Amino acid sequence: MNKKTPTSSVSIPKRFITHFFTRKSSALLIWLSAIIGILAGAMSALFDHGIIWISELRLQLIASFGDSDIPLWIVAIPISSFMAGLAFYLTHRFAPEAGGSGIPEIEGAMEGMRPVRWKRVIPVKFFGGLLALGSGMALGREGPSVQMGGNIGRMISDIFKVDQADAQALLAAGAAGGLAAAFNAPLAGIMFVIEEMRSQFNYSLTSTKSVFMSAVMATIVMRFMSGQDAVISVTHYSHPDLLSLWLYLLLGFCFGVIGLFFNKLLLAAQDMYLFIHKNKRWRFVSVGLFLGAVFGALSVLEPQLAYSGLELIPEIAGGHYLSGALMIIFLFRIVTTLASFGSGAPGGVFAPTLALGTLFGMLFGLACHALFPELVTEPGRFAIAGMGGLFAASVRAPITGILLVIEMTSNYEMILPLIVTCLGATMVAQTLGGRPIYTQLLERTMRISMRQKRQEQARKAMVHLERNQR
């Protein structure tokens, strides 16, 4: 009896450890999600700091020619052209799926339709995104953060050899962590997976907790590395007059129409670029060289039309532009956003969409202030509501849009007008037959992939036939 006692005392923790580290253990999945969140937060923070560093380095290099007779916008052309061209080359050569925002790729991977080659995608998306965004293109950092976060989730899944269901949960957890860290918005990161990826996400208590854990840990790491301030510093508005809520609903109706056409233009821009480069590398890189040159010049001449647009939002909401200037910037930023995102550059469209929504919201607010001066005293409120309106209409994720704006701006008292605006935008977009942009982008990617496979099979069949004839 005495000899068996030590064996039994040792077997209890051994059985516990074996059970804890089994592939089916929910506790293990939660801990893996925490690791994923930490890595996704660190990756997003490094990506953010890298964009700032490379952008400042580019501007310092341009400014060093200030004493010469050459205009600075001409100096910016070859520098930005080289950066963007290199980003396009890295993407096409090593990981074509790293082009664009990457969010449709994550959604496709969750459905088992797209591969996740994390060994290629993570470095290509990181360095390609730094070069593309640093060159001045109108792209956001959230798409790369989501895709890199999702790929980190798959990396951890492969390392620990979890089963397919758990691997999908960790993929979703990584995506949530990436978005939460990109915008310092944990609730929006969680809701984005639950709301936007609802058709792909396997709802269960464990998978939902995994998403929560990753988003929380990613946000903690991001705030530790970059600070706890809100991403966008704008005026904190109080509750608007309840009698003015119908104006926010009308603003949402406008965004429903705008969002429908905006999505169509994004898809048309991608088709136009595909027609131009036909997926040939030298043509694809040439597109990058050209766009880099254009946005390099714009970043010096008219910086309001370049970059992601997040840095423009405080100026817009602060009333620094008149209505005429707002309209011009709004129209031209639509063009620059389409030109940048449609090209397949490694960058997202979240941030440019938020900037466009803010521009139109402020325009609408100024018009309402002119028509109803006693009812609308602060047009900037409509700029805040507009941030979520276009996002809700385009992505068709209204709750994510509401939470994203509140967390990014700390305007918690704007929740009611935000709900009304996003609800109106979603209702009109759905009524007009609009579909979520990322769903359409995934479908387009699958069509192109299937067409390329058929062409490759036909080419191999022709080669085989020619060999047999010889």
Side-chain angles (χ1 to χ4, degrees), residues 113-125:
M113 299 162 54
R114 298 293 293 167
V116 181
R117 303 186 299 170
W118 55 267
K119 294 180 182 179
R120 289 171 174 258
V121 170
I122 292 176
V124 170
K125 196 74 172 186

Side-chain angles (χ1 to χ4, degrees), residues 247-264:
L247 292 173
Y248 291 94
L249 184 62
L250 181 59
L251 175 63
F253 290 164
C254 294
F255 275 124
V257 177
I258 294 172
L260 177 70
F261 286 102
F262 182 66
N263 287 358
K264 291 181 180 295

